[in-house]
Amino acid sequence: MTSQTTEWHKTACNLCFVNCGLKVQLGGANNKEIIKVKGDDEHPVSEGYICNKAARLNYYQNNPDRLLHPMRRKPDGGYEQVDWNTAISEVASKLKTVKETHGGERILYYGGGSQGNHLGGVYGASLRKALGVRYKASALSQEKTGLAWVFSRMVGGMFHPEADHAEVLMFAGKNPFMSNGIDKARLLLKKIKKDPKRKLIVLDPRRTETADYADIHLAVKPGRDAWCVAAIVAHMVQNKLLPMDWLKEHTTGYEKVIAHFKDIPVDEYAEFSGIEPALLKEAATVIAEAKSFALEEDLGVQMAPHSTLVTYLNFLTFLLTGNYGKKGTSAMVAQFIDVIATDYLPVDEDGKELSRRTMPVTGAPIVSGLFAGNFMAEEILNDHPERPRALIIESSNPVHSLAQAPKLREAIRSLEFSVVIDIAMTETAMECDYVLPAATQYEKWEATFFPRNFPNNFFHLRAPIISPVASVLTEPEIHSRIMDELEVVKPSDLNLLKFAAKGGIFAYTLAFLLQLARKPKLVGVIAYVLYRTLGPSLPKGQESTAVIWGISQIYAKKRAKQLARIGLKGFSAGTKLYQRIMAAPSGTVIGISKYEDSFTDIPHPENKIQLVIGELLEELSELKSMQPLIKTNQDFPFSLVAGSRRAYTANCAIRDPAWAKGKNVTALTIHPEEADKHNIPEGAQVILSTETGQATAHVAFDDRMHLGTISVPNGQGMHFTNEQGEQVTTGVYINELTNAKHRDKFIGTPLHKFVPANIKLAM
């Protein structure tokens, strides 16, 4: 019989980047199971909202594939358990050897945190600095670097679409009814539907569950979003629907941008994109005439043909109409830490970048400090003298999530050394030399640094609610032990800070500033320094929060005006902010922004929005050829959505297929008319094939699908140990079938939402 406590513990969901506040009750042996989950009504943002996924978090916390001991690959390819001292010593030695032989820049780093798991990644920065690692990638560079490139070039900072207050709201390639990804998603959709003064526009080939709430559904042909959005902008330009005085006051380059849309044949582009011209023009007029308009885009366009161009066109849709820096539009957020960093570079007279740091072998661009993961296998598998020689992977599963998994497996096996830090023996871990087990996100202090909310800047540091397994370590401890072995920091450099910490936080602050001035090399490994000096002086178990104190000091200096608006200013503002964060189990406001900040914080000349991105205006001109970027053909007549978001998908966070409730949760879906045309009955087993491989799948009908398309969900095909101790998989392991060379020409993000494919009945 399962025991259960009555106490409610506050935490947050880790299954999408919104991280809604939760309250959970524990039970089972030693209270290590999450028995009951409900929304935290004291959470300042989610206010008690919860979706179906969070209710089944125990499938994340407890599963048979939990990794409990460090594992080392044996010569025969199997794994053996080793103790922590051996693991740390050998991992540090191997990494040090690679650094001394080839240079630290030959060590790649991938990861740094999953959806709710960022605190450990901050400590990983110290290890990277100690080793001299220069090249990093993560899930963000799989999805969001095109977005980062565009907002850096145009507004110079991360922005927040004010969906809550917009009179007209548009979702492009986003289905929040199923995937969430915005605050209180379903409540917002219902709220807009009931308000006759508000309108919702949805751009998506599928008649999504979100589209059911829409006033206008632009059911674009797959892969042709660019023509659709370009036609929307062109209609506004050609009908003089733009606020010219606002553009003159707040932007540069508007004349040049407008000129590119004056001759676009709106009707022709609309029809080519699959939209009735009258409907497209209605959408354009509704946007242009709205008192406030906000646009949210997501992977449906960010991982589709012309992805970065479409993001640029989406930005032009709201910036050319003056929907920035006022209520219900888009406003610049004050990030607690720059997870999605701005990296604006000088441009020439045509608005093209003069230079950009790139990867040494493939020349892949580095955006927001990240290279696109789609280049990783190519970067490794060659005889170039500057090719990578080692790989550190933290809280990520690139072999499962990046395109063309077989090539990535080959690449990792070819390295001189590789190590994974994770909670399970993932598909990636099974290719690496060492696997180090970490505590789960509910067994340690944790936080998520995604930029959130306007005008109130919000941050949630979460205390552990479950005692960790004794044989695992937190990421901060793992990184710090490796740092100890590397002996990059002399113990004598830490003595003053350790002594000062005993005198209290304000004594430590003075000593900290003094020591960093005397020993500037410590700045690069500051997370490690804080963990080893301030950490031990904190209440037992809170050592890893020391870095939050450090980040609070940086935030207080960088965002002084936002912080002053909540009453924190002066020398002690950072420390008081840290104390406020620690005292708020449901999260807290860490600063208040104002709409004028959205202009005064623009780093470009005269604080003006830069509308010209020369490279993308050239790409816009290429649309005149009326040729899709990727085409289906006789051999592969379908466009496959390789990784759709459904009610129960969670990337690689949950491996147990039993967590997914409902029918056909792993099925390949197809419109029934399309299935009938190809004589494929519902429930049939089919062979799904692409140019790189094939897999088997069961078919389910979905009359919401666009004709000519098929879809399989993300996060499937992972191995799992069932109750009989057998290794099983469910669903399609989609990146066995994708091709890493199908990527955005500017940034390198994969084009997973349009993969030419075929299906045939299995014999």
Side-chain angles (χ1 to χ4, degrees):
M1 183 175 178
T2 301
S3 63
Q4 181 175 342
T5 64
T6 57
E7 181 182 0
W8 289 99
H9 303 267
K10 292 187 176 183
T11 184
C13 179
N14 67 344
L15 298 183
C16 90
F17 87 94
V18 175
N19 306 124
C20 295
L22 303 178
K23 294 195 291 188
V24 306
Q25 286 185 345
L26 305 175
N30 300 314
N31 288 326
K32 288 184 178 294
E33 292 192 28
I34 298 173
I35 302 298
K36 186 178 291 187
V37 180
K38 67 179 182 179
D40 179 4
D41 52 12
E42 295 181 349
H43 190 275
V45 179
S46 59
E47 298 177 320
Y49 181 83
I50 186 174
C51 82
N52 56 294
K53 297 180 183 181
R56 295 167 70 77
L57 273 178
N58 195 51
Y59 283 92
Y60 161 80
Q61 174 61 32
N62 292 286
N63 70 84
D65 290 301
R66 176 78 186 274
L67 190 64
L68 299 177
H69 302 278
M71 304 297 287
R72 178 176 60 192
R73 182 185 292 283
K74 299 187 294 185
D76 64 5
Y79 284 88
E80 61 184 348
Q81 179 181 320
V82 297
D83 63 82
W84 273 108
N85 288 339
T86 300
I88 295 295
S89 176
E90 291 189 358
V91 168
S93 176
K94 294 285 188 180
L95 292 171
K96 186 176 182 180
T97 297
V98 171
K99 178 185 178 183
E100 291 175 345
T101 305
H102 305 290
E105 64 271 22
R106 303 285 81 85
I107 303 172
L108 294 183
Y109 177 93
Y110 191 98
S114 54
Q115 294 282 29
N117 173 210
H118 291 169
L119 194 57
V122 179
Y123 285 94
S126 286
L127 179 59
R128 294 197 302 273
K129 184 67 176 181
L131 290 168
V133 174
R134 292 187 62 196
Y135 305 114
K136 175 187 175 184
S138 73
L140 288 174
S141 58
Q142 168 86 337
E143 303 168 351
K144 301 297 182 182
T145 37
L147 174 69
W149 192 57
V150 170
F151 76 62
S152 296
R153 298 282 295 273
M154 299 185 83
V155 300
M158 185 63 190
F159 74 102
H160 171 72
E162 281 202 285
D164 276 352
H165 301 121
E167 180 181 273
V168 176
L169 176 61
M170 180 172 173
F171 291 123
K174 188 179 185 73
N175 182 15
F177 186 91
M178 282 299 186
S179 63
N180 292 283
I182 60 172
D183 296 321
K184 296 173 282 190
R186 296 189 180 184
L187 295 182
L188 175 62
L189 291 172
K190 293 175 182 178
K191 184 178 177 181
I192 294 174
K193 188 71 172 178
K194 292 179 179 179
D195 190 341
K197 297 179 181 179
R198 302 182 70 181
K199 291 188 181 297
L200 176 65
I201 301 170
V202 170
L203 174 69
D204 201 300
R206 183 173 176 267
R207 181 171 54 82
T208 64
E209 293 77 8
T210 300
D212 288 343
Y213 289 83
D215 299 279
I216 299 174
H217 176 208
L218 301 173
V220 63
K221 286 184 179 179
R224 303 192 186 184
D225 308 81
W227 283 271
C228 179
V229 187
I232 289 174
V233 176
H235 178 77
M236 294 190 291
V237 167
Q238 293 168 19
N239 288 273
K240 296 181 170 48
L241 299 176
L242 305 183
M244 300 306 294
D245 290 343
W246 188 92
L247 292 173
K248 184 177 181 180
E249 180 182 359
H250 293 296
T251 74
T252 63
Y254 62 92
E255 304 100 325
K256 184 173 183 178
V257 170
I258 287 172
H260 276 77
F261 291 91
K262 284 184 175 179
D263 297 325
I264 283 178
V266 173
D267 287 5
E268 188 177 348
Y269 273 34
E271 290 170 352
F272 186 74
S273 69
I275 308 298
E276 286 291 330
L279 183 64
L280 183 141
K281 292 174 183 178
E282 180 188 353
T285 303
V286 165
I287 292 168
E289 294 181 349
K291 293 179 181 178
S292 60
F293 168 67
L295 186 149
E296 287 256 15
E297 66 169 44
D298 212 332
L299 304 187
V301 295
Q302 292 168 350
M303 300 177 78
H306 293 295
S307 61
T308 303
L309 173 61
V310 174
T311 294
Y312 178 53
L313 293 169
N314 283 337
F315 269 65
L316 289 177
T317 302
F318 65 82
L319 291 175
L320 282 175
T321 53
N323 284 290
Y324 176 81
K326 65 179 183 180
K327 187 173 182 178
T329 63
S330 291
M332 194 181 296
V333 297
Q335 301 184 67
F336 188 47
I337 189 172
D338 291 338
V339 174
I340 307 179
T342 304
D343 65 349
Y344 176 77
L345 297 171
V347 298
D348 63 19
E349 59 184 11
D350 295 319
K352 296 180 181 178
E353 283 183 338
L354 291 170
S355 64
R356 176 161 290 279
R357 194 161 69 98
T358 60
M359 296 296 286
V361 178
T362 62
I366 297 174
V367 178
S368 291
L370 305 169
F371 72 89
N374 266 347
F375 288 92
M376 189 152 66
E378 293 169 60
E379 195 75 21
I380 295 169
L381 289 172
N382 57 78
D383 58 2
H384 194 287
E386 296 182 71
R387 69 187 183 276
R389 305 303 181 108
L391 176 63
I392 301 170
I393 300 167
E394 181 178 355
S395 300
S396 293
N397 190 2
V399 169
H400 190 273
S401 60
L402 297 183
Q404 211 166 345
K407 205 72 175 175
L408 196 52
R409 288 194 193 95
E410 179 187 355
I412 294 174
R413 290 292 185 104
S414 74
L415 292 167
E416 294 178 20
F417 183 67
S418 55
V419 58
V420 164
I421 301 171
D422 213 320
I423 68 167
M425 184 64 85
T426 66
E427 287 70 25
T428 301
M430 291 188 291
E431 307 303 324
C432 293
D433 298 311
Y434 250 103
V435 190
L436 305 180
T440 73
Q441 294 177 38
Y442 298 102
E443 297 172 350
K444 61 192 175 191
W445 284 90
E446 196 48 273
T448 309
F449 297 109
F450 288 126
R452 295 288 306 284
N453 309 108
F454 183 94
N456 293 343
N457 309 317
F458 170 77
F459 182 67
H460 190 186
L461 179 67
R462 311 186 298 273
I465 59 173
I466 296 173
S467 57
V469 179
S471 56
V472 305
L473 298 176
T474 65
E475 291 94 339
E477 182 66 19
I478 292 171
H479 288 303
S480 296
R481 289 193 187 188
I482 296 174
M483 288 278 291
D484 292 342
E485 286 286 326
L486 293 173
E487 299 180 325
V488 174
V489 178
K490 296 178 182 178
S492 59
D493 290 339
L494 303 181
N495 288 339
L496 172 65
L497 294 175
K498 288 180 178 178
F499 177 78
K502 296 177 182 178
I505 194 68
F506 291 103
Y508 182 85
T509 302
L510 294 172
F512 179 79
L513 296 174
L514 174 64
Q515 189 68 339
L516 260 60
R518 293 173 53 197
K519 303 281 185 179
K521 69 176 185 179
L522 296 180
V523 173
V525 293
I526 198 66
Y528 168 78
V529 171
L530 289 166
Y531 187 72
R532 286 292 188 236
T533 60
L534 178 61
S537 72
L538 299 174
K540 184 174 176 58
Q542 294 185 15
E543 294 86 352
S544 63
T545 71
V547 77
I548 299 297
W549 177 86
I551 295 170
S552 295
Q553 310 309 309
I554 298 170
Y555 180 86
K557 184 176 181 180
K558 185 177 179 181
R559 302 292 185 182
K561 60 185 178 183
Q562 286 90 353
L563 196 53
R565 291 172 188 147
I566 61 169
L568 302 182
K569 53 188 174 181
F571 175 76
S572 62
T575 296
K576 289 180 178 177
L577 175 62
Y578 169 70
Q579 292 169 336
R580 179 175 293 199
I581 290 170
M582 292 298 299
S586 294
T588 187
V589 173
I590 61 170
I592 297 175
S593 296
K594 291 187 175 181
Y595 290 107
E596 54 261 36
D597 296 343
S598 297
F599 295 101
T600 58
D601 289 351
I602 293 174
H604 303 320
E606 301 180 75
N607 304 122
K608 287 190 174 184
I609 297 164
Q610 312 262 312
L611 291 177
V612 173
I613 300 182
E615 300 90 337
L616 295 175
L617 287 176
E618 277 190 0
E619 184 73 0
L620 173 66
S621 298
E622 295 296 318
L623 298 183
K624 294 177 182 177
S625 67
M626 310 299 277
Q627 292 295 318
L629 192 65
I630 302 176
K631 298 179 182 180
T632 55
N633 53 53
Q634 186 174 355
D635 293 330
F636 301 108
F638 295 99
S639 63
L640 168 68
V641 178
S644 62
R645 296 283 179 89
R646 300 186 185 172
Y648 283 96
T649 55
N651 302 317
C652 301
I654 297 181
R655 307 184 68 83
D656 185 348
W659 94 287
K661 298 172 68 175
K663 295 175 58 178
N664 302 318
V665 291
T666 66
L668 179 151
T669 53
I670 185 173
H671 195 287
E673 290 182 22
E674 197 72 62
D676 184 61
K677 184 167 67 174
H678 291 82
N679 297 313
I680 297 174
E682 187 165 23
Q685 187 177 59
V686 296
I687 303 297
L688 168 64
S689 59
T690 68
E691 62 182 346
T692 57
Q694 63 180 30
T696 59
H698 285 88
V699 169
F701 289 170
D702 180 3
D703 62 6
R704 295 173 175 269
M705 299 284 291
H706 205 290
L707 293 174
T709 64
I710 53 179
S711 172
V712 292
N714 67 307
Q716 301 298 312
M718 295 180 291
H719 72 267
F720 175 76
T721 305
N722 64 18
E723 293 180 355
Q724 290 72 44
E726 303 167 326
Q727 289 284 305
V728 297
T729 59
T730 57
V732 174
Y733 186 168
I734 194 58
N735 281 313
E736 297 280 357
L737 310 182
T738 53
N739 190 332
K741 292 184 178 180
H742 289 169
R743 55 195 175 217
D744 179 74
K745 66 184 289 186
F746 299 102
I747 304 301
T749 46
L751 309 183
H752 285 347
K753 304 306 178 185
F754 194 112
V755 178
N758 201 357
I759 54 173
K760 295 182 179 179
L761 285 171
M763 302 302 292

